[in-house]
Amino acid sequence: MRLSLSWADIQYAALALLAGLILGLISGYWALSIGAILFFHLIRLLSKLARIREWLVQGITVETSPDIPGSAGDIVKAIIAVKRDSDRQRKRLEELLNRFDAATDAMPDAMLIIDRQHRVEWANPAAKQLLGIDPLRDVGQPVGNIVRDPLIAHYLQAADYTEPLEFSSPGSVDRDLMLKIIPYSKQRHLFYVQDHKDLLRLERVRKAFVTNASHEMRTPLTVIIGYLESLSEHEEMDLRVRLGIDGALDQSLRLKNLLEDLLALSKLESTLSSQSVGAPVDMVALLKETKELVEASSHYKDQPLSLSCETEVKLIGNDTELQSVIRNVIDNAVKYTEPQTPIDIVWKQLADGSAKLSIQDHGEGIAARHLPHITERFYRVDKGRSRDTGGTGLGLSIVKHVLERHSGKLQISSEIGVGTYVEMVFPQERCE
Ligand code: ADP
């Protein structure tokens, strides 16, 4: 609304001027007459303002709005229009909030808004059921003080929310809750907890199935391999039969490798990562031992393996898991490298106290488009080639898993025809 001098104001000013002139003409006191008229005008204006102020103080309603003519009346109308607009907006916001409240109240998952110090700012009713957090009483409390679980405390402290956290609901031993933290502003995070009982049960059934099936197949397979090996030792044999037995033996050994890798993966998945925090592992001894094992293996093609240990530092972890990592990476270097091509293994400590294991080969290399996928299960760049070399496509998945359990970082760079460089860095806290 545009506020300009109204017609009533102009009329009133003209009348006042006329009255002043007449009064001056009659009395002959021009200045006094005009002053008296101006004073009267001022008092009238102030009284209008006082009425508007009183109306504002008492609370703006259309019914009690002062009926004032002229520009002051226009001000009243403008205030009423602004009030109507803000009323409409408030109502819309209230509706929106009510809908949001109803939705969060109905949610079976616990939702919390926490600040940078992890203090509860808001919680929905399910937070009480799942975590014992009272949406009214516990506002302002650090979430770690209410849900006393060291896993959550560690997760919040590490502030790495890329992977969700599985933990037990208070008062239960089953790890049936899943926590996701979603930062949505610099100040606030969404703390989202889902009951994963059904999903986890399904997942457990799947893992148990893979483990049991692999176990069940291992024994008969070992027997078959035994028979095939003793059969293949017979010298007098028809060539076709020999080829058949050798082929069957190859495939059985491949199956055995696959079962071993599947069992290793399910073991890693079914045990807590805290079980990887074992005694300090003598990496120098472990590297030497693994190098010898690779050199004695059937797929070794006489590539010179150079092992350079620039540090004696030990790694806090699980020696079996660490050996499987070293073995898998060196095995790959051997499998995908031509005979006589050198492979360099280096173990050293970095300036920041972390320790690095690197394996450099000069083999066929991996095209850049495959690199983001090679740690996925059963991902093989060249299925036929991997199969010929006895590969299962699970080796690097095992490596990735074990590294995660040892807080290590895996990096693989490669160039076709030049070679592959695998680097594993373990943080200082893991070194001793
Ligand atoms: P596999 O048992 O088939 O070797 P991995 O999970 O160990 O499975 O590796 C996945 C794929 O990555 C392999 O099939 C292979 O194509 C590729 N790869 C891994 N390491 C190397 C390497 N050092 N040189 C070339 N290719 C490699």
Side-chain angles (χ1 to χ4, degrees), residues 116-157:
R116 279 160 66 109
Q117 280 74 43
H118 310 134
R119 287 179 302 223
V120 178
E121 286 194 353
W122 172 88
N124 71 343
K128 184 152 194 179
Q129 270 165 283
L130 290 185
L131 306 167
I133 293 178
D134 190 313
L136 296 174
R137 192 196 57 206
D138 294 329
V139 168
Q141 295 275 345
V143 77
N145 285 6
I146 317 166
V147 192
R148 291 182 178 275
D149 187 321
L151 279 176
I152 295 184
H154 186 257
Y155 189 64
L156 286 170
Q157 200 189 2

Side-chain angles (χ1 to χ4, degrees), residues 370-377 379 396-398 400 410 412:
H370 295 296
L371 284 176
H373 306 289
I374 53 169
T375 55
E376 290 168 14
R377 282 166 204 211
Y379 191 90
L396 288 179
S397 309
I398 295 175
K400 186 178 152 208
L410 172 71
I412 303 173

Side-chain angles (χ1 to χ4, degrees), residues 261 328-329 332-337 361 363-366 374-376 378-382 386-387 389-397 414 419-420 422:
D261 280 357
N328 268 306
V329 180
N332 277 349
V334 163
K335 279 191 291 185
Y336 303 107
T337 299
D361 69 48
E364 61 188 61
I366 308 162
I374 53 169
T375 55
E376 290 168 14
F378 296 113
Y379 191 90
R380 281 167 288 190
V381 173
D382 177 343
S386 161
R387 212 171 286 136
T389 55
T392 61
L394 290 173
L396 288 179
S397 309
S414 188
T420 303
V422 180

Side-chain angles (χ1 to χ4, degrees), residues 32-195:
L32 201 66
S33 305
I34 290 178
I37 291 297
L38 276 179
F39 180 70
F40 172 73
H41 192 60
L42 187 68
I43 293 293
R44 193 169 170 275
L45 203 67
L46 286 176
S47 85
K48 281 182 187 176
L49 284 180
R51 281 177 69 191
I52 295 177
R53 198 196 60 187
E54 198 178 331
W55 174 60
L56 290 176
V57 169
Q58 281 172 357
I60 308 166
T61 60
V62 183
E63 297 75 38
T64 57
S65 65
D67 184 15
I68 306 171
S71 302
D74 288 346
I75 293 175
V76 171
K77 280 181 202 142
I79 293 173
I80 289 173
V82 170
K83 166 93 167 70
R84 278 202 179 121
D85 204 38
S86 83
D87 279 354
R88 259 198 305 273
Q89 281 194 21
R90 207 185 55 210
K91 212 163 162 199
R92 256 213 317 268
L93 260 171
E94 260 173 29
E95 271 170 23
L96 216 83
L97 262 174
N98 285 343
R99 260 186 270 163
F100 176 76
D101 270 355
T104 52
D105 285 1
M107 268 188 88
D109 307 328
M111 268 168 73
L112 273 74
I113 292 175
I114 55 170
D115 65 13
R116 279 160 66 109
Q117 280 74 43
H118 310 134
R119 287 179 302 223
V120 178
E121 286 194 353
W122 172 88
N124 71 343
K128 184 152 194 179
Q129 270 165 283
L130 290 185
L131 306 167
I133 293 178
D134 190 313
L136 296 174
R137 192 196 57 206
D138 294 329
V139 168
Q141 295 275 345
V143 77
N145 285 6
I146 317 166
V147 192
R148 291 182 178 275
D149 187 321
L151 279 176
I152 295 184
H154 186 257
Y155 189 64
L156 286 170
Q157 200 189 2
D160 177 7
Y161 308 133
T162 35
E163 291 292 324
L165 172 79
E166 280 177 29
F167 68 104
S168 328
S169 51
S172 147
V173 280
D174 289 335
R175 285 195 303 156
D176 49 14
L177 295 183
M178 174 87 84
L179 165 66
K180 284 182 196 152
I181 293 193
I182 306 147
Y184 69 92
S185 80
K186 276 190 185 154
Q187 304 299 330
R188 290 181 183 85
H189 292 174
L190 186 68
F191 187 100
Y192 185 75
V193 177
Q194 274 177 306
D195 190 342

Side-chain angles (χ1 to χ4, degrees), residues 56-351:
L56 290 176
V57 169
Q58 281 172 357
I60 308 166
T61 60
V62 183
E63 297 75 38
T64 57
S65 65
D67 184 15
I68 306 171
S71 302
D74 288 346
I75 293 175
V76 171
K77 280 181 202 142
I79 293 173
I80 289 173
V82 170
K83 166 93 167 70
R84 278 202 179 121
D85 204 38
S86 83
D87 279 354
R88 259 198 305 273
Q89 281 194 21
R90 207 185 55 210
K91 212 163 162 199
R92 256 213 317 268
L93 260 171
E94 260 173 29
E95 271 170 23
L96 216 83
L97 262 174
N98 285 343
R99 260 186 270 163
F100 176 76
D101 270 355
T104 52
D105 285 1
M107 268 188 88
D109 307 328
M111 268 168 73
L112 273 74
I113 292 175
I114 55 170
D115 65 13
R116 279 160 66 109
Q117 280 74 43
H118 310 134
R119 287 179 302 223
V120 178
E121 286 194 353
W122 172 88
N124 71 343
K128 184 152 194 179
Q129 270 165 283
L130 290 185
L131 306 167
I133 293 178
D134 190 313
L136 296 174
R137 192 196 57 206
D138 294 329
V139 168
Q141 295 275 345
V143 77
N145 285 6
I146 317 166
V147 192
R148 291 182 178 275
D149 187 321
L151 279 176
I152 295 184
H154 186 257
Y155 189 64
L156 286 170
Q157 200 189 2
D160 177 7
Y161 308 133
T162 35
E163 291 292 324
L165 172 79
E166 280 177 29
F167 68 104
S168 328
S169 51
S172 147
V173 280
D174 289 335
R175 285 195 303 156
D176 49 14
L177 295 183
M178 174 87 84
L179 165 66
K180 284 182 196 152
I181 293 193
I182 306 147
Y184 69 92
S185 80
K186 276 190 185 154
Q187 304 299 330
R188 290 181 183 85
H189 292 174
L190 186 68
F191 187 100
Y192 185 75
V193 177
Q194 274 177 306
D195 190 342
H196 256 230
K197 223 175 280 155
D198 294 341
L199 223 104
L200 286 175
R201 207 186 53 236
L202 258 174
E203 184 76 345
R204 261 179 234 134
V205 170
R206 181 190 68 77
K207 282 177 192 163
F209 173 76
V210 174
T211 314
N212 292 340
S214 309
H215 262 302
E216 290 300 323
M217 282 191 265
R218 199 155 64 161
T219 318
L221 192 64
T222 312
V223 176
I224 293 170
I225 289 172
Y227 279 128
L228 289 170
E229 276 173 346
S230 55
L231 274 175
S232 71
E233 278 161 18
H234 281 282
E235 294 191 349
E236 290 149 22
M237 204 187 289
D238 184 87
L239 184 66
R240 274 186 21 225
V241 179
R242 170 163 300 285
L243 284 176
I245 289 174
D246 286 351
L249 189 58
D250 265 2
Q251 295 304 318
S252 310
L253 288 171
R254 225 174 71 73
L255 201 57
K256 186 168 171 267
N257 284 346
L258 185 66
L259 291 183
E260 299 296 346
D261 280 357
L262 274 174
L263 279 168
L265 255 182
S266 26
K267 193 168 169 211
L268 287 173
E269 283 178 335
S270 58
T271 53
L272 291 173
S273 55
S274 54
Q275 289 178 8
S276 294
V277 188
V281 177
D282 182 348
M283 286 296 280
V284 176
L286 197 65
L287 281 162
K288 278 185 186 152
E289 186 192 322
T290 317
K291 175 179 171 275
E292 280 162 18
L293 282 174
V294 174
E295 284 166 341
S297 68
S298 58
H299 56 262
Y300 179 57
K301 293 176 279 179
D302 287 332
Q303 295 102 330
L305 290 181
S306 88
L307 171 61
S308 148
C309 293
E310 297 173 18
T311 177
E312 298 266 297
V313 75
K314 293 188 168 111
L315 209 60
I316 299 166
N318 178 305
D319 55 352
T320 318
E321 289 180 15
L322 286 170
Q323 184 163 41
S324 84
V325 164
I326 304 169
R327 178 78 200 248
N328 268 306
V329 180
I330 305 182
D331 267 347
N332 277 349
V334 163
K335 279 191 291 185
Y336 303 107
T337 299
E338 290 302 310
Q340 318 298 338
T341 327
I343 294 165
D344 307 315
I345 307 155
V346 180
W347 172 240
K348 65 180 203 176
Q349 194 157 26
L350 303 178

